[in-house]
């Protein structure tokens, strides 16, 4: 489904450059549930931003369902993301001024979907995530777990092939986190490919594969015990 | 469409959820739009509003252009008839008319024994058919009427005059009334809204051209006298006839006219110019050269535009602050699939919605402002109409201004926020702010300070100019003097009857308690009419560069100088002995004595007036210089002749009282009523009121008031701007301030640090403002009297005021920053 070949990302810092992703080679199959782990500053969120097409300042090759995303224009990539990717954030990023229902409807509103069809889809999502009673509430009136539930509902409303989650349970207590992770497992069973970033071993256990990042290098992959990296170079800045 | 509705709904919710932000932005923009709408209503009235006639674009007015941008648009009746005949190929019809008749003034309309002034137009029978309008009631002057002196005693009244004098009574049509004592039948009412083709002074009655006999006391030679050129000629171009053909044939006809009816001086080819309110040939009816009111309005349009720009800058700044706060929201929307265009559209929907609300407020303010301008007392005897009502052009202007404003204030913040790095914002929770944002906001505030400084300097120049005019020596004492104008000839009185009436009136008024002195004059200082005449002075020969001898004059009764508080410097005053049978005499002013008899004694010298070249006038006295037509400039030569020796039926009774002038008016009116019930008094006002009228200080006061209002508006907007930006900057730096204080910084150092930032913005803004003011100041130079456009006092005082106010707006948030508790500040996020 996804192939990253020698993907690199750096930021200009004064006269030099700081590398956050180094020569990442990664293949993700349809239906996988991947967990990305590593210490702070390892490049986990940067990798997620690349996968989500939120970032377009990287080098290398990114193949998405046999399409060369790296050769696309910014607008084409955005179109690709709109159709195929859903995102769940650690701090939920619900819009404060919109109700639960309107937040869930938001991704649909950016597509050419008739209003009646959108209403049906939102109603289905409210049912599926059992938040019908909360549909007219604003995010500030919900608990953290409920907000993340809405965030997930919003991320999957348009049935994305790839769901990306950046520390989705980071702000939740353990019982709420368990519920969310169960939900991810269920979505994965239904066919959604999931990539999550987490520090939690418990959450990682829900996944089918774990990759490890350190200082921007991919240093471990449970599906590929010998990743094509040069560990000795890992700490060296080019 | 659904997406647009959704954007609109979200935009409404955004504005409703932040009432403070919405209120400040809407009020700021409404003030800017309102000021522009009010000033634009003047532009509309002066320049854009077409005449309420059929196909106004086909109408032309004929004129010979002359050097210096002036026009000679006056024709004799014979010239008009000839022109009409020879232009039949290009004009479907042509008409001649004279505004105010031969006297260029008002007539008197007597109904049921009561006479009131009426501003008349004498027009050819083709006048109304050429305009292509229909009467509101009755009929117009017929094409067959008007070509024979005194033959068609009919009048058409204007709708407004009919409403105000006859309360819209339809029975008045067909009634015989008296104009200047002559029986005339009212045959119709002109359509509502038609105020004649010069829409400032309302034409209240239309009479056939031949009826000018009622002004010439029955003399029937007007239509046949080819030397009397007092007619304007307008014509309607036939459909399908091109401009080139019109100008070619008109030029040819003009050449034939000049050959057959020669005119003095050089004349360019006769032209057919578009007939518009205030079109150049018509403006020459009331004076020559460019219209200063039009120029003044253009200047105020620029100033109002500057206010709007300041308002836009202010709101754009608010939007920039909001843009930083909303970075996270926009990043989330983008991450969920919103394209850049969609984000831009949503943000612009918000700013346009805001501008829409401001437009409603602005129109309301504009209506208030134009009503206020329309209600300014003009202190004129003429039926001046200031019709600043808002029409579709003004509403369209307000809407377009709002649209432009909405885009202007929204586009930069929208572009910035829609091009943010999404990943970064989402990862950092939307708390990022960039130096570029802060720099742009600081630059915008500098523009505000500069703009308001330029505005206030212009306002200051106008105020100083007004002060300067107010200090000018009038040469007379306007206090405790009341003026009442009367014209018994308009009620059918003969010259002898009129003189007897005035004599009796003067005697009775002088006997009233509280009256210090009373006198009569043909003209009053700063009044509507200031007579002047060409003079023949023995021994005076103007050089090549000098114009021929002329001077302003006034016909006055004995006691005039005492009533006006004017000082006699030599010779004697005019007395009762100076009557129609005695030697003709005059008292002249210093300027006249110095101009025509420099270094000599003017007393006993003689001169003649062009109107009566055989009658020598002997100078018997010299008075101190005084103002007559204009409040400023050098004193012009002026002489005073006994009214008994000159025929002026319209006279102004001037009364100097010992105390207040208020109770005197009704008493005098009662006296006039008892003496001659048919004679009406018009234009009753004090000399001080006249001084503040349209011919006096009014334009200076309006200019100063309007400029001061716009300047204050600009200053308020700038204060809000600088305070807002400094407050926001302090909020953004709270954590930094906390760290500095935790590391040992003293409040004074924090205060200095914040103020330094403000000072830099203020200095930048003031530099821009001073340069701008210098440029604009020179544009307004023509309207300033007694001060230079680079008046140092204005520049220094206004700059100090702006600097002080801006520093204060900067100091308040800086002091708050200096009081920050480091513990609280370090927890601040």
């Amino acid at each position: 489904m996804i192939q990253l070949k020698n993907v690199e990302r750096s930021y200009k810092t004064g006269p030099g450059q700081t590398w956050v992703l180094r020569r990442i080679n990664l293949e993700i199959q349809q239906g996988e549930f991947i967990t990305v782990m590593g210490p702070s500053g390892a490049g986990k969120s940067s990798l997620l931003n690349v996968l989500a097409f939120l970032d377009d300042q990287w080098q290398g090759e990114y193949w998405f369902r046999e399409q060369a995303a790296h050769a696309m224009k910014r607008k084409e990539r955005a179109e690709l993301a709109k159709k195929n990717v859903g995102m769940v954030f650690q701090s939920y990023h619900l819009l404060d001024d919109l109700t639960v229902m309107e937040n869930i409807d938001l991704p649909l509103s950016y597509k050419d979907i008739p209003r009646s069809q959108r209403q049906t889809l939102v109603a289905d999502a409210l049912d599926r995530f059992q938040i019908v009673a909360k549909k007219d509430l604003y995010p500030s009136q919900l608990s953290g777990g409920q907000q993340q539930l809405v965030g997930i509902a919003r991320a999957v409303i348009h049935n994305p092939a790839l769901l990306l989650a950046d520390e989705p349970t980071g702000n939740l207590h353990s019982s709420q986190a368990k519920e969310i992770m169960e939900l991810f497992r269920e979505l994965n069973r239904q066919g959604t490919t999931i990539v999550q970033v987490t520090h939690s071993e418990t959450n990682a256990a829900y996944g089918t594969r774990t990759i490890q990042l350190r200082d921007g290098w991919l240093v471990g992959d449970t599906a590929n015990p010998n990743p094509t990296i040069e560990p000795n170079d890992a700490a060296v800045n080019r | 469409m659904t997406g647009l509705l959704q954007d609109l709904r979200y935009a409404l919710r955004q504005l409703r959820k932040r009432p403070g932000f919405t209120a400040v932005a809407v009020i700021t923009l409404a003030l800017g739009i309102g000021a522009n709408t009010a000033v634009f209503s003047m532009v509309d009235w002066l320049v854009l509003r077409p005449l309420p006639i059929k196909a106004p674009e086909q109408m032309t007015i004929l004129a010979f252009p002359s050097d210096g941008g002036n026009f000679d648009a006056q024709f004799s009746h014979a010239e008009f008839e000839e022109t009409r005949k020879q232009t039949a190929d290009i004009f479907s019809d042509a008409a001649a008319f004279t505004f105010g008749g031969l006297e260029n003034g008002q007539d008197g309309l007597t109904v049921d024994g009561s006479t009131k002034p009426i501003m008349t137009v004498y027009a050819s029978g083709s006048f109304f058919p050429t305009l292509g309008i229909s009467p509101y009631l009755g009929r117009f002057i017929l094409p067959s009427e008007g070509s024979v002196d005194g033959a068609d005693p009919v009048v058409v009244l204007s709708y407004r005059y009919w409403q105000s004098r006859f309360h819209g009574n339809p029975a008045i049509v067909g009634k015989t009334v008296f104009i200047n004592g002559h029986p005339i039948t009212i045959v119709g009412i002109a359509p509502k809204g038609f105020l004649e083709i010069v829409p400032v002074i309302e034409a209240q009655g239309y009479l056939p051209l031949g009826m000018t006999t009622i002004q010439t006391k029955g003399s029937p030679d007007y239509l046949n006298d080819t030397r009397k050129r007092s007619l304007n000629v307008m014509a309607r171009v036939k459909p399908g006839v091109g401009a080139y053909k019109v100008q070619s044939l008109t030029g040819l006809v003009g050449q034939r006219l000049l050959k057959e009816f020669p005119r003095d001086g050089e004349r360019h080819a006769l032209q057919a110019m578009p007939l518009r309110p205030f079109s150049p040939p018509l403006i020459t009816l009331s004076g020559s050269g460019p219209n200063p009111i039009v120029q003044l309005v253009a200047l105020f349009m620029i100033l109002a535009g500057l206010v709007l720009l300041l308002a836009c800058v202010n709101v754009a700044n608010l939007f920039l602050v909001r843009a930083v706060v909303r970075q996270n929201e926009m990043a989330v929307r983008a991450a969920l699939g919103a394209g850049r265009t969609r984000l831009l559209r949503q943000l612009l929907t918000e700013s346009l919605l805001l501008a829409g609300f401001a437009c409603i407020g602005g129109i309301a303010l504009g209506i208030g402002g134009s009503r206020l301008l329309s209600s300014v007392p003009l202190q004129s005897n003429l039926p001046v109409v200031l019709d600043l009502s808002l029409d579709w052009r003004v509403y369209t202007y307000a809407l377009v201004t709002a649209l432009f404003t909405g885009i202007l204030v929204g586009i930069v913040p929208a572009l910035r926020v829609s091009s943010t790095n999404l990943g970064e914002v989402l990862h950092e929770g939307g708390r990022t702010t960039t130096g570029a944002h802060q720099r742009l906001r600081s630059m915008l505030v500098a523009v505000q300070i500069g703009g308001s400084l330029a505005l206030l300097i212009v306002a200051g120049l106008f105020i100083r100019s007004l002060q300067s005019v107010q200090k000018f020596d009038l040469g007379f004492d306007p206090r405790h003097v009341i003026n009442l104008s009367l014209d018994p000839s308009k009620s059918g009185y003969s010259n002898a009857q009129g003189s007897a009436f005035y004599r009796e009136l003067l005697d009775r008024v002088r006997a009233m308690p509280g009256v210090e002195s009373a006198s009569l004059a043909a003209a009053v200082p700063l009044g509507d009419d200031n007579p002047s005449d060409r003079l023949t002075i023995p021994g005076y020969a103007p050089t090549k560069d000098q114009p021929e001898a002329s001077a302003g004059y006034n016909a006055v009764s004995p006691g005039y100088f005492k009533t006006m508080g004017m000082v006699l410097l030599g010779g004697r005053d005019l007395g009762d002995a100076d009557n129609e049978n005695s030697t003709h005499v005059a008292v002249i002013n210093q300027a006249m004595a110095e101009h025509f008899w420099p270094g000599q004694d003017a007393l006993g010298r003689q001169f003649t007036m062009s109107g009566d070249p055989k009658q020598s006038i002997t100078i018997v006295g010299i008075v101190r210089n005084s103002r007559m037509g204009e409040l400023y400039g050098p004193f012009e030569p002026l002489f005073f002749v006994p009214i008994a020796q000159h025929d002026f039926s319209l006279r102004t009774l001037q009364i100097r009282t010992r105390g207040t002038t208020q109770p005197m008016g009704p008493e005098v009116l009662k006296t006039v009523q008892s003496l001659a019930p048919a004679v009406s008094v018009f234009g009753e006002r004090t000399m001080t009121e006249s001084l503040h009228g349209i011919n006096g200080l009014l334009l200076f006061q309006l200019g100063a008031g309007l400029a001061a209002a716009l300047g204050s508006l600009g200053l308020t907007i700038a204060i809000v701007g600088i305070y807002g930006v400094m407050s926001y900057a302090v909020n953004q730096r709270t954590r930094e301030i906390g760290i500095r204080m935790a590391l040992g910084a003293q409040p004074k150092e924090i205060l200095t640090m914040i103020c330094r930032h403000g000072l830099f913005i203020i200095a930048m803004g003031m530099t821009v403002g001073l340069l701008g003011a210098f440029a604009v100041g020179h544009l307004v130079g023509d309207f300033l009297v007694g001060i230079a456009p680079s008046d140092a006092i204005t520049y220094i005082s206004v700059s100090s005021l702006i600097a002080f106010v801006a520093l204060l707006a900067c100091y308040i948030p800086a002091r708050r920053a200096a009081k920050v508790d480091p513990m609280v500040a370090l927890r601040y996020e």
Side-chain angles (χ1 to χ4, degrees):
Chain A
M1 183 184 185
I2 290 172
Q3 266 188 305
L4 300 184
K5 292 181 183 172
N6 283 319
V7 168
E8 298 199 303
R9 176 68 161 109
S10 64
Y11 291 97
K12 279 207 159 106
T13 45
Q17 263 182 318
T18 302
W19 292 86
V20 291
L21 290 177
R22 303 297 303 271
R23 296 184 215 164
I24 301 292
N25 291 295
L26 178 67
E27 201 160 320
I28 299 171
Q29 303 298 328
Q30 178 86 39
E32 278 192 301
F33 186 163
I34 297 179
T35 303
V36 182
M37 299 189 80
S40 293
K44 305 185 294 293
S45 294
S46 299
L47 178 63
L48 220 57
N49 285 341
V50 171
L51 289 172
F53 303 104
L54 289 179
D55 186 359
D56 51 8
Q57 300 292 309
W58 43 268
Q59 294 97 50
E61 290 179 27
Y62 180 172
W63 294 84
F64 189 94
R65 287 183 160 168
E66 268 98 54
Q67 296 177 78
H70 51 275
M72 289 178 180
K73 289 178 181 157
R74 191 181 187 183
K75 208 171 174 182
E76 292 169 325
R77 284 184 198 169
E79 206 50 40
L80 197 66
K82 193 154 83 174
K83 283 184 187 141
N84 297 290
V85 182
M87 285 239 18
V88 176
F89 307 97
Q90 178 181 359
S91 44
Y92 329 128
H93 285 319
L94 300 181
L95 299 191
D96 297 338
D97 293 334
L98 305 189
T99 60
V100 164
M101 196 162 70
E102 287 167 338
N103 262 295
I104 296 172
D105 178 52
L106 206 55
L108 301 180
S109 74
Y110 296 131
K111 297 182 173 196
D112 292 329
I113 300 174
R115 192 176 166 77
S116 55
Q117 199 182 332
R118 272 166 48 196
Q119 282 172 334
T120 312
L121 286 169
V122 172
D124 285 348
L126 289 168
D127 271 339
R128 183 175 166 198
F129 290 91
Q130 297 174 348
I131 45 178
V132 177
K134 316 277 183 201
K135 71 180 172 62
D136 293 322
L137 297 183
Y138 286 93
S140 58
Q141 295 167 299
L142 303 176
S143 70
Q146 288 168 335
Q147 285 190 51
Q148 193 57 297
L149 216 52
V150 175
I152 297 168
R154 185 179 67 179
V156 299
I157 181 84
H158 61 300
N159 235 350
L162 176 67
L163 181 64
L164 302 168
D166 192 356
E167 308 215 28
T169 62
N171 289 346
L172 303 177
H173 66 69
S174 55
S175 64
Q176 286 174 324
K178 189 166 180 269
E179 272 179 49
I180 296 298
M181 291 317 298
E182 291 291 347
L183 190 60
F184 277 155
R185 178 151 42 195
E186 185 53 34
L187 287 169
N188 181 241
R189 271 187 198 141
Q190 288 166 9
T192 310
T193 307
I194 298 176
V195 179
Q196 68 162 339
V197 165
T198 184
H199 287 288
S200 158
E201 293 289 349
T202 316
N203 288 354
Y206 284 87
T208 55
R209 174 181 168 194
T210 301
I211 59 172
Q212 292 283 343
L213 292 179
R214 204 172 66 220
D215 297 328
W217 296 89
L218 201 160
V219 294
D221 184 348
T222 53
N224 180 10
N226 299 305
T228 53
I229 55 160
E230 300 164 47
N232 292 336
D233 292 342
V236 181
N237 278 350
R238 244 188 332 198
Chain B
M1 191 62 195
T2 317
L4 266 177
L5 282 175
Q6 198 177 35
D7 283 351
L8 202 64
R9 207 168 53 240
Y10 289 160
L12 261 174
R13 196 180 298 171
Q14 279 286 338
L15 299 183
R16 209 173 49 226
K17 282 198 119 183
R18 283 149 196 92
F21 165 81
T22 307
V24 170
V26 168
I27 290 169
T28 307
L29 289 182
L31 286 172
I33 294 171
N36 270 268
T37 306
V39 177
F40 186 78
S41 68
M42 286 199 267
V43 176
D44 179 47
W45 171 62
L46 287 171
V47 186
L48 301 176
R49 201 182 297 170
L51 293 165
I53 57 174
K54 179 190 157 194
E57 71 285 353
Q58 293 174 350
M59 292 299 297
T60 60
I61 184 142
L62 303 186
F64 288 104
S66 57
D67 292 333
N70 291 326
F71 296 91
D72 183 355
Q74 307 272 291
F75 298 83
S76 68
H77 187 249
E79 286 174 320
F80 159 62
E81 288 292 1
E82 202 55 39
T83 309
R84 192 180 179 194
K85 214 183 298 168
Q86 293 187 24
T87 53
D89 280 353
I90 50 170
F91 299 139
S92 57
D93 210 346
F97 63 98
T98 172
F99 193 79
L102 304 180
E103 292 185 341
N104 199 18
Q106 298 176 85
D107 291 316
L109 174 67
T110 311
V111 182
D112 300 331
S114 160
T115 305
K116 286 188 179 166
I118 181 168
M119 193 76 214
T120 47
V121 164
Y122 292 82
S124 64
S126 53
F127 183 78
F128 287 108
T130 304
L131 290 175
I133 52 175
S134 307
Y136 184 80
L137 268 183
R139 69 164 175 92
F140 282 144
I141 300 166
L142 300 175
S144 58
E145 292 173 333
S147 53
V148 179
D149 278 318
D152 308 293
V154 295
V155 64
V156 174
L157 298 181
S158 78
Y159 181 88
R160 282 168 67 110
Y161 190 82
W162 174 58
Q163 285 290 330
S164 66
R165 180 142 186 210
F166 302 109
H167 311 294
N169 177 12
I172 200 76
V173 176
K175 192 176 167 103
T176 298
V177 295
F178 294 87
I179 296 184
N180 298 355
H182 296 264
I184 286 178
T185 306
I186 299 172
V187 291
I189 308 296
K192 197 176 175 179
F194 180 69
L195 301 174
E196 219 266 307
I197 58 174
V198 186
V200 187
I201 299 172
E202 181 195 359
Q204 298 167 318
Y206 300 86
L207 291 108
L209 205 52
M211 289 310 292
T212 44
T213 48
I214 65 169
Q215 289 192 332
T216 57
K217 308 223 186 297
S219 163
D221 64 347
Y222 170 65
L223 291 179
N224 299 319
D225 189 344
T226 54
R227 289 166 306 167
K228 285 188 177 160
R229 290 190 172 107
S230 55
L231 297 177
N232 288 111
V233 176
M234 63 178 181
R236 181 178 289 278
V237 177
K238 279 184 176 171
V241 176
Y244 180 74
K245 189 175 176 185
V246 169
Q247 295 308 343
S248 311
L249 189 61
T250 312
L252 203 66
V253 171
Q255 280 176 15
R256 288 183 201 147
L257 285 183
L258 288 173
K259 204 176 265 179
E260 199 175 342
F261 309 102
R263 290 174 184 239
D264 296 336
E266 284 287 308
R267 289 287 182 279
H268 297 290
L270 182 67
Q271 281 187 13
M273 312 179 78
L275 177 69
R276 277 196 293 266
F278 295 94
S279 60
L282 289 173
I283 290 167
T284 57
L285 289 177
S286 54
S288 61
N291 190 330
I293 297 178
V294 175
Q295 288 181 314
L296 199 63
V297 168
L299 172 73
F300 279 107
M301 206 61 227
I302 295 173
L303 296 186
L306 196 53
V307 170
L308 183 65
L309 185 71
L310 292 181
C312 286
V313 168
N314 214 12
V315 176
N317 233 337
L318 288 175
F319 266 93
L320 274 174
V321 172
R322 292 274 311 130
V324 175
V325 175
R326 293 179 67 185
Q327 267 183 344
N328 191 47
E329 176 199 334
M330 292 301 135
V332 171
R333 284 181 183 274
L336 294 175
R340 197 170 178 213
T341 319
R342 181 70 196 266
L343 291 181
L344 265 172
R345 196 181 80 188
Q346 192 189 329
L347 290 164
L348 281 178
T349 306
E350 285 173 29
S351 64
L352 283 170
L353 189 66
L354 203 75
F357 289 130
C359 182
I360 296 167
I363 287 174
L365 286 171
I367 290 172
S370 57
R371 278 192 187 155
L372 197 70
L373 285 170
S374 299
S375 66
V376 171
L378 301 172
Q379 311 293 3
S380 168
N381 285 346
L382 300 173
V384 178
V385 181
L386 266 179
D387 182 17
L388 299 180
S389 54
L390 273 61
D391 56 21
W392 68 268
R393 275 174 299 277
V394 183
Y395 291 122
T396 308
Y397 174 80
L399 270 174
V400 171
T401 308
L403 190 70
F404 162 79
T405 306
I407 294 172
L408 191 71
V409 302
I411 192 76
V412 176
L415 282 173
R416 280 184 167 254
V417 80
S418 63
S419 59
T420 314
N421 185 328
L422 303 180
E424 201 173 299
V425 173
L426 290 173
H427 191 63
E428 295 183 17
R431 285 194 292 270
T432 55
T433 178
T434 63
H437 263 106
Q438 189 62 34
R439 272 195 302 280
L440 179 63
R441 281 200 302 275
S442 300
M443 209 175 75
L444 290 178
V445 171
V447 168
Q448 282 183 315
I449 292 172
S452 61
L453 178 65
L455 262 177
L456 273 181
I457 284 179
V458 173
L461 288 173
F462 272 97
I463 291 167
R464 292 259 302 143
S465 178
L466 173 65
Q467 285 173 341
S468 160
V469 173
Q470 281 170 331
K471 279 184 200 154
F472 277 139
D473 178 19
L474 292 171
F476 62 84
D477 181 5
R479 292 168 301 169
H480 309 308
V481 174
I482 184 169
N483 298 332
L484 303 100
S485 298
L486 310 104
D487 191 348
S489 76
K490 305 299 184 199
S491 307
Y493 279 50
S494 66
N495 285 355
Q497 285 170 321
S499 297
F501 160 75
Y502 278 127
R503 233 178 352 257
E504 181 64 26
L505 176 66
L506 210 51
D507 286 346
R508 289 207 194 179
V509 169
R510 280 174 178 161
M512 283 179 178
V515 173
E516 196 175 303
S517 73
S519 54
L520 293 161
V524 290
L526 312 172
D528 297 314
D529 192 23
N530 299 297
S532 66
D533 203 0
R534 280 180 288 121
L535 308 178
T536 305
I537 300 170
Y540 176 79
T543 60
K544 222 175 180 186
D545 302 334
Q546 282 180 317
E548 53 188 335
S550 70
Y553 73 97
N554 198 358
V556 300
S557 73
Y560 175 79
F561 299 120
K562 187 182 175 195
T563 307
M564 292 299 287
M566 291 166 70
V567 180
L568 195 69
L569 299 172
R572 69 167 175 87
D573 196 351
L574 301 173
D576 288 329
D578 299 313
N579 57 36
E580 59 268 45
N581 300 317
S582 65
T583 310
H584 281 219
V585 296
V587 170
I588 65 169
N589 72 351
Q590 286 169 283
M592 185 162 168
E594 284 157 15
H595 187 77
F596 295 116
W597 297 277
Q600 302 167 52
D601 186 5
L603 287 175
R605 305 272 181 171
Q606 293 188 322
F607 64 89
T608 58
M609 294 168 71
S610 70
D612 192 359
K614 288 181 187 155
Q615 183 66 60
S616 282
I617 297 170
T618 306
I619 298 166
V620 295
I622 298 174
V623 283
R624 221 178 126 226
N625 285 331
S626 63
R627 296 284 165 194
M628 192 65 194
E630 283 188 319
L631 268 175
Y632 54 91
F635 284 104
E636 298 291 336
L638 183 67
F639 62 96
F640 301 88
V641 291
I643 205 160
Q645 294 177 348
H646 295 263
D647 179 21
F648 279 97
S649 179
L650 169 70
R651 299 180 190 186
T652 300
L653 173 65
Q654 298 190 284
I655 307 163
R656 175 171 290 282
T657 60
R658 290 198 184 88
T660 171
T661 50
Q662 286 306 322
M664 195 51 72
E667 279 302 305
V668 178
L669 291 178
K670 262 191 223 164
T671 309
V672 173
Q673 277 287 309
S674 65
L675 270 174
V679 175
S680 67
V681 173
F682 55 96
E684 177 204 335
R685 65 180 62 88
T686 66
M687 196 66 234
T688 313
E689 281 170 344
S690 288
L691 200 61
H692 289 88
I694 192 159
N695 301 308
L697 292 167
L698 184 69
L699 281 184
F700 290 95
Q701 285 168 330
L702 266 181
L706 212 52
L710 293 175
S712 310
L713 217 55
L715 179 65
T716 312
I717 289 169
I719 293 171
V720 172
I722 190 161
Y723 178 79
V725 163
M726 292 313 296
S727 285
Y728 185 75
V730 166
N731 275 349
Q732 289 292 300
R733 294 175 74 176
T734 303
R735 191 164 169 272
E736 175 202 332
I737 292 166
I739 294 169
R740 283 176 185 273
M741 293 185 84
L743 293 174
Q746 295 303 306
K748 201 174 143 193
E749 286 158 328
I750 299 294
L751 192 74
T752 313
M753 179 184 82
I754 301 291
C755 280
R756 200 184 300 133
H757 174 57
L759 270 173
F760 177 69
I761 300 175
I762 294 167
M764 229 167 39
M766 289 192 60
T767 309
V768 174
L770 284 171
L771 289 173
F774 200 69
V776 181
H778 280 81
L779 277 181
V780 304
D782 287 348
F783 302 101
L784 302 177
V785 175
I787 59 153
S790 53
D791 179 52
I793 295 179
T794 308
Y795 274 71
I796 293 170
S797 52
V798 172
S799 302
S800 311
L801 172 76
I802 290 268
F804 173 73
V805 171
L807 274 173
L808 197 67
C810 178
Y811 173 76
I812 295 168
R815 203 182 57 170
R816 201 173 62 229
K819 285 183 177 170
V820 158
D821 178 350
M823 289 302 288
V824 176
L826 290 172
R827 280 201 302 270
Y828 179 85
E829 267 295 321

